Amino acid sequence: MDPRIERIHQAADFVKKQIGDRKPLVGIVLGSGLGKLSNAVKDPIVIPYKTIPGFPVSTAIGHKGNFLVGEIEGKQVIMMQGRIHFYEGYPMELVTLPTRVMVVLGIQYLFVSNAAGGVNYDYKVGDLMIIKDHICQQPNPLIGPNMDEFGPRFPDMTRPYDLELIAKAEKIAAEMGIKVHKGVYYGGTGPTYETPSEYKYIRIIGGDVTGMSTIPEVITARHSDVRVFGMSVVTNEAHDDYAEDYVNDGDAVVKAADAAADRMCAIFSKLIESL
């Protein structure tokens, strides 16, 4: 057997033994500072990544490193309390391993969230953006021999983010009086924040926010025809006209994400309820 597939199934079998007859409908990935949604999970089973065979461990700020399996608004979910990033030094095979495991467990939807810099001048710190598309400047996780049991060699990415879920989320946000943008997520490798000239470049080519995650998980989910919804929290204004003494600070990013997390969590919960 392909050693990559063997690793995926070993990890999935371990998780299955921990959760018994629970069958998650929705996989959820929580980004930096967005852990509040975990409080909405009822009767959670906590599975630390470090206990799962062959699993990487998240080292990023604000990422706990657990699977949570439980219920949100009557639906069974499996939640990643912290993702794995390429910048941590892991190969894409391991960055996307949790997503592959969730696919094996039977998820039909993947909800992804992230903290991102707002390169769009209309975006302010604390704003929410529904991801309608992305620009990938990270290594594609499907490079290498195709795992045919998961999906085709050349997956279509015309609509990586599900149009029906986007429309539902917009309606939910409007009904709750929550302002949301809809835009394009640019994904770089990190771990450095971009230079002012890079922020300008991202804006020129059509990016609205920029981050260091998310896209590998989305590509992997779409490879298996899992429907995807994504949301970014704008945690810093990523512009090219900073004051001379301005610096980007990782702790400030987490704090800004935490301040906006309640609104994002409200939208996610209502959207899960509607499934």
Side-chain angles (χ1 to χ4, degrees):
M1 180 185 285
D2 184 326
R4 299 170 300 164
I5 294 178
E6 190 171 2
R7 184 197 293 265
I8 293 164
H9 282 285
Q10 283 179 346
D13 288 345
F14 179 87
V15 174
K16 284 179 183 177
K17 289 177 182 177
Q18 309 305 307
I19 67 176
D21 60 359
R22 298 190 186 191
K23 298 186 184 302
L25 174 70
V26 185
I28 304 169
V29 185
L30 299 180
S32 299
L34 297 171
K36 284 185 177 181
L37 188 59
S38 62
N39 298 331
V41 180
K42 295 180 180 177
D43 191 23
I45 295 172
V46 182
I47 308 171
Y49 296 159
K50 63 184 179 183
T51 67
I52 304 173
F55 229 66
V57 177
S58 177
T59 63
I61 297 172
H63 291 246
K64 290 187 177 180
N66 300 315
F67 268 140
L68 288 186
V69 182
E71 191 176 285
I72 293 179
E73 299 296 342
K75 306 296 193 302
Q76 286 291 325
V77 304
I78 179 166
M79 179 181 292
M80 290 179 64
Q81 278 188 301
R83 55 163 46 96
I84 313 301
H85 301 82
F86 185 67
Y87 69 68
E88 295 175 76
Y90 292 115
M92 278 296 173
E93 176 187 341
L94 293 184
V95 171
T96 58
L97 177 60
T99 307
R100 295 286 192 203
V101 168
M102 291 191 287
V103 168
V104 171
L105 294 174
I107 64 166
Q108 296 178 36
Y109 303 89
L110 181 70
F111 286 23
V112 293
S113 65
N114 57 62
V119 296
N120 186 317
Y121 284 127
D122 293 332
Y123 293 8
K124 306 302 179 186
V125 172
D127 283 359
L128 300 177
M129 186 196 84
I130 295 170
I131 305 173
K132 68 176 183 180
D133 202 352
H134 66 233
I135 299 170
C136 182
Q137 291 296 307
Q138 304 172 32
N140 192 301
L142 304 186
I143 290 172
N146 186 53
M147 291 188 280
D148 294 336
E149 74 171 70
F150 284 95
R153 169 75 283 189
F154 301 108
D156 178 43
M157 292 294 287
T158 307
R159 288 170 291 277
Y161 302 88
D162 191 86
L163 298 180
E164 182 183 350
L165 294 177
I166 289 172
K168 279 186 178 181
E170 288 182 293
K171 182 179 179 183
I172 288 167
E175 290 173 349
M176 300 180 77
I178 298 173
K179 176 185 175 182
V180 293
H181 301 286
K182 186 168 64 174
V184 177
Y185 178 88
Y186 174 99
T189 64
T192 54
Y193 291 110
E194 293 84 352
T195 68
S197 293
E198 288 168 337
Y199 286 141
K200 183 177 182 180
Y201 164 76
I202 293 166
R203 188 183 310 111
I204 289 171
I205 66 171
D208 293 293
V209 300
T210 178
M212 308 171 191
S213 65
T214 303
I215 296 176
E217 298 144 354
V218 173
I219 292 174
T220 303
R222 293 303 303 141
H223 186 221
S224 295
D225 204 30
V226 171
R227 297 169 66 182
V228 174
F229 175 76
M231 180 167 280
S232 297
V233 176
V234 178
T235 49
N236 57 295
E237 294 180 9
H239 299 165
D240 50 289
D241 56 353
Y242 291 123
E244 289 186 5
D245 60 350
Y246 180 85
V247 293
N248 270 315
D249 178 79
D251 289 332
V253 165
V254 172
K255 288 178 182 176
D258 183 68
D262 287 338
R263 286 175 286 126
M264 189 204 76
C265 293
I267 294 171
F268 269 37
S269 294
K270 284 292 185 183
L271 192 54
I272 290 170
E273 184 180 20
S274 75
L275 299 177

